[in-house]
Structures are given as C-alpha cells and as structure tokens.
C-alpha cells in the first residue's frame, strides 16, 4: 500500500492559488467569524458551488483536496455542518439569486447553522409519505407536525423543512421545501442520546410554527424535486469523504464558536504531520494505514484474515477514488454517470463497517474499553498503550449510522435497481392517487 496508489489526482494550479491565498490571509489571531468572513466570499469554503453562489465551480474531488490543503497549511477549514453540505448546494440549484445572497452567504461565512427537517416517525425511507402540514396564511405558512433524527437541530438557526402543502395531490406532488427559522416559539427541539454517548440528533416538534412564503425554495408543491437535490448532495458528499457533519469549529449563533480565536480550532502540528504535511494528503487509505500500524504493533498482522481485510479496505478506498475520478472526467465532458452518488454512499457504508470489524479484531478485548469523555479516553490510552483505541471504538459505535442516514443501504439498492438498471418498481398507485386518499397506518 504505497503513497502513490493513495494519492489522488491533484489540481496543481488551484492548490497553488489556494496556498498563496492562505499565505496572504490566514491569521490564527482572527476570530472564527472574521476568518470565515475571508474564507467564504473568496470561494474557498464551498469551492464546488458555482461562482454566483460563493463558490468556484470546482469538481467535488478537487473540493476535497481544497479542504485537505487548508488543513495541511494549518489553517481553520470551512464551517462544518449541514448548511455547507446540504442547504447551500440545494439553494444554489433551486433558489433565486436573492435567496442565494440571503442564505448561502451566511452559510459560507458560518454565521448561520442549518439542520435538515425531513424524516418523521412515519416517514423515513418512504419520505414522500410525510404528514407534517403547512397551511397558507397570507404571506406566511403555518406548520404543524413532528420530525425526528434531526442532526444538530439543537444548534441550528435555520431548517431545511419539507412539509405537505397539498394533500389533494398525489404524494410526491403536494410537498413544499422551506427555509424555516428555528428560533421561534412554535419549534421545540428535544435531544436523543445515542450509543456513541453523543446526542447529535433530536426530535423536533412544530406547533403553529411560521415560515414566510419568500422562504420557499423552488416552487410551491415542487418540494420533492428540491428534496431530492438535497439527498443527492448528501449521498455524493458523504460518499466522497467530503463535508463533515460535526467539525471542530461549528457555525451559527448557538454553538458559541464565532467569537473565539480561529487558531484555537486550527489543526495542531501533530495533526498536520499525521496528514503527511502539505504535499501528501489524507485519503480513505489513511485509516488503513492506522489499522496496519496497530496490527504490526501488536502482532495481529500475522493473521491472514486480518491481512485480507486490510487489503479489502484499501481496495474499496481505491475503487471509490477511481469512481470519483470517473465522475469528474464525465462531468468535464458534459455527461453524468447515473447512480454514482448512490454507489458512493453504499461504498462508504461498507468501508466504515469494515473499519469497525478490522479495528475491533486488531485491538481484541481492549475494544470493550470505550472512553466517552476525553478524560476516560486518556485513561484508556495510558492503560493500553494504544493512542488509537478511542478511534477504533468510536468508529465501531458509529458504524451503524452510515447504512441508515441519507437513505438506507436497501433504499440505495432500490434506486440503483430501478433508475439505473431499469428494473420494475414495486406496483402501487401512489403516483396517481391523492395523498389524502392513500391507505395509512392508524
Ligand atoms: C446518524 C443519523 C443521522 C440522521 N440525520 C437526519 C437528519 O438530520 N435529518 C433527517 O431528516 N433525517 C435524518 N436521519 C434519518 C434517516 O434519513 C432515516 O433514518 C432513514 O431514511 C431511514 O428511515 P427510518 O429510520 O424511518 O427507517 P424505515 O424507513 O422505517 O426503515 C426500516 C428498515 O426497512 C427497510 N426498508 C424500508 N423501506 C424499504 C423498501 N422500500 N425496500 C427495502 N427495504 C426497505 C430499511 O432499509 C430499514 O432497514 C438520520 C439518521 C441517522 C442514523
């Protein structure tokens, strides 16, 4: 497993321009808000967005290299979270220029944090079956219903809300996509604690919540197309290894990071050397290297099944990288490869599951010692002499999430089967019958 195999194709001119820009602009003593106010409008926070949406129109694979280069330089990267990953590209695709200037600018500068109000207790895989309702009231809409699994809802300023606005239409046609203000009495966010120890996601209750008509993204009753755009960006972004959900510096008015010193959130020199410095970049293979190092250290590398697993992990990472390059080449030629976002997301689920199984196999019984706090992790590190133990156990606990979020693995396979391979859909009449007339669970 050499670095040559692991090194993605690099857009040298763009990265040279970025390095020059960072040399002129990065100052660790700026506040996080002031640093992002430079990074965002320069197009480096969201370089894959088009130029009219505070980006540079770069390919996704180059966007990932930009993130890595900023980290390798030792500067604080773009705002983390769902605003940059999902809301900004969706609004760039479907919003008016006025909405882009209102919402996307605040995303790339980290001023506002977003959450995704899609899933409901009765509508996850069958997302178009959602029952949260929005009723028009003059220039506003009144929203009632419940969402669930709302990642980072507790620190969100705005939500990407999909709600039913025309129950008399078939279920995919009567949905509207809104940018809703989370700071209002009609919205209550209740955290749910996961087995990782974190409470990343929440239940969100909307009771006579209000949202302006001007906050509709795309057209009234056209929200299904807009939501699919968000899901496409989610699958492609997660599959490419870009767009972290929870980074070190969080955007928005609630997290409290904006007025802190940017340098305090920037990668430390140890993190930088772990990434191999400015000329070598971390890729999916990076985790394989950590696992190989651990296996060599405790002798697990002598086990042929472990070695096979490590090779499989490396191969999956390489296939992902080649597929990203194929997408890039195909887009440059004005074409698309159908289903690639779904394949990338499926592949990412497999990679994380393999990391879980290999990591736990390599550390053996130590894998039972998960530190839920930095203090506990330090004690475990000292007791086991393995500084990567928390990474292994943390990955193992989190590995159950990727096959579910952004559409489950089964749903990705359904989409590939139906839309790419042309296999027949399950027969139903929900495309023609009014949503209000469809049979529902009591
Ligand atoms: C970590 C995490 C973060 C999340 N963050 C958010 C968020 O921020 N915002 C948000 O809106 N949602 C979020 N989600 C929710 C996620 O999108 C849903 O959990 C997912 O779409 C599945 O829906 P469900 O949980 O209702 O499962 P269900 O739809 O009830 O599915 C249950 C099982 O049945 C299978 N199944 C269902 N239908 C079919 C079918 N037609 N064919 C084959 N198999 C099928 C599924 O694959 C699954 O195994 C998050 C989920 C996780 C795990």
């Amino acid at each position: 497993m050499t670095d040559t195999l692991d090194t993605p194709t690099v857009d040298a001119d763009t990265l040279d321009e970025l390095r020059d820009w960072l040399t002129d602009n990065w100052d660790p003593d700026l506040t996080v808000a002031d640093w992002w106010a430079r990074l965002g409008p320069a197009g480096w926070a969201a370089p894959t967005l088009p130029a009219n949406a505070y980006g540079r129109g770069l390919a996704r694979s180059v966007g990932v290299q930009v993130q890595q280069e900023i980290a390798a330089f030792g500067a604080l990267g773009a705002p983390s979270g769902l605003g940059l990953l999902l809301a900004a590209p969706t609004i760039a695709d479907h919003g008016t220029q006025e909405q882009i200037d209102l919402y996307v600018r605040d995303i790339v500068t980290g001023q506002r944090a977003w959450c995704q109000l899609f899933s409901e207790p009765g509508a996850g895989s069958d997302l178009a079956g959602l029952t949260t309702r929005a009723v028009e009231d003059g220039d506003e809409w009144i929203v009632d219903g419940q969402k669930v699994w709302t990642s980072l809802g507790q620190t969100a300023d705005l939500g990407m809300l999909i709600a039913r606005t025309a129950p008399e239409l078939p279920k995919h046609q009567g949905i509207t996509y809104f940018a809703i203000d989370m700071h209002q009495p009609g919205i209550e966010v209740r955290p749910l604690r996961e087995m990782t120890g974190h409470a990343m996601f929440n239940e969100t209750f909307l009771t006579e919540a209000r949202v302006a008509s001007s906050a509709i993204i795309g057209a009234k009753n056209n929200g299904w197309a807009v939501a699919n755009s968000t899901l496409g960006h989610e699958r492609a972004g997660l599959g490419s290894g870009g767009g972290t959900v929870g980074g070190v510096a969080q955007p928005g008015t609630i997290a409290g990071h904006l007025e802190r010193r940017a340098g305090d959130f920037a990668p430390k020199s140890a993190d930088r050397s772990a990434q191999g410095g400015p000329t070598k970049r971390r890729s999916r293979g990076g985790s394989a290297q950590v696992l190989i190092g651990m296996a060599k250290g405790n002798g697990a590398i002598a086990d042929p099944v472990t070695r096979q697993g490590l090779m499989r992990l490396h191969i999956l990472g390489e296939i992902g990288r080649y597929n990203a390059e194929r997408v890039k080449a195909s887009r440059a030629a004005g074409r698309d490869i159908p289903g690639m976002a779904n394949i990338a997301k499926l592949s990412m689920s497999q990679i994380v599951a393999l990391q879980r199984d290999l990591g736990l196999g390599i550390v053996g019984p130590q894998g039972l010692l998960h530190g839920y706090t930095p203090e506990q992790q330090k004690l475990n590190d000292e007791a086991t002499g393995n500084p990567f133990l928390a990474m292994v156990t943390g990955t193992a606990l989190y590995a159950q999430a990727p096959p579910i979020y952004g559409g489950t693995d089964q749903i990705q396979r359904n989409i590939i089967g139906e839309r790419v391979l042309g296999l027949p859909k399950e027969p139903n009449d929900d495309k023609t019958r009014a949503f209000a007339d469809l049979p529902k669970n009591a």
Side-chain angles (χ1 to χ4, degrees), residues 30 52 75 214 293 306 314 338 365 416:
L30 289 172
N52 73 319
S214 59
T306 301
H314 172 71
I416 293 167

Side-chain angles (χ1 to χ4, degrees), residues 22 26 28 68-77 262-263 265-269 272 278:
L22 287 167
W26 167 242
Q68 292 167 337
E69 192 60 44
I70 295 171
F73 191 89
L76 171 63
F265 292 97
K268 304 283 177 284
S269 53
R272 297 210 293 277

Side-chain angles (χ1 to χ4, degrees), residues 116 118-119 124-125 149-151 201 401 404-406 408 410-411 414:
Q116 181 188 22
F118 280 22
S119 305
S125 298
W149 302 93
T150 318
S151 302
F201 41 69
I404 302 175
Y405 62 64
T408 66
Q410 290 80 4
I411 295 302
N414 282 355

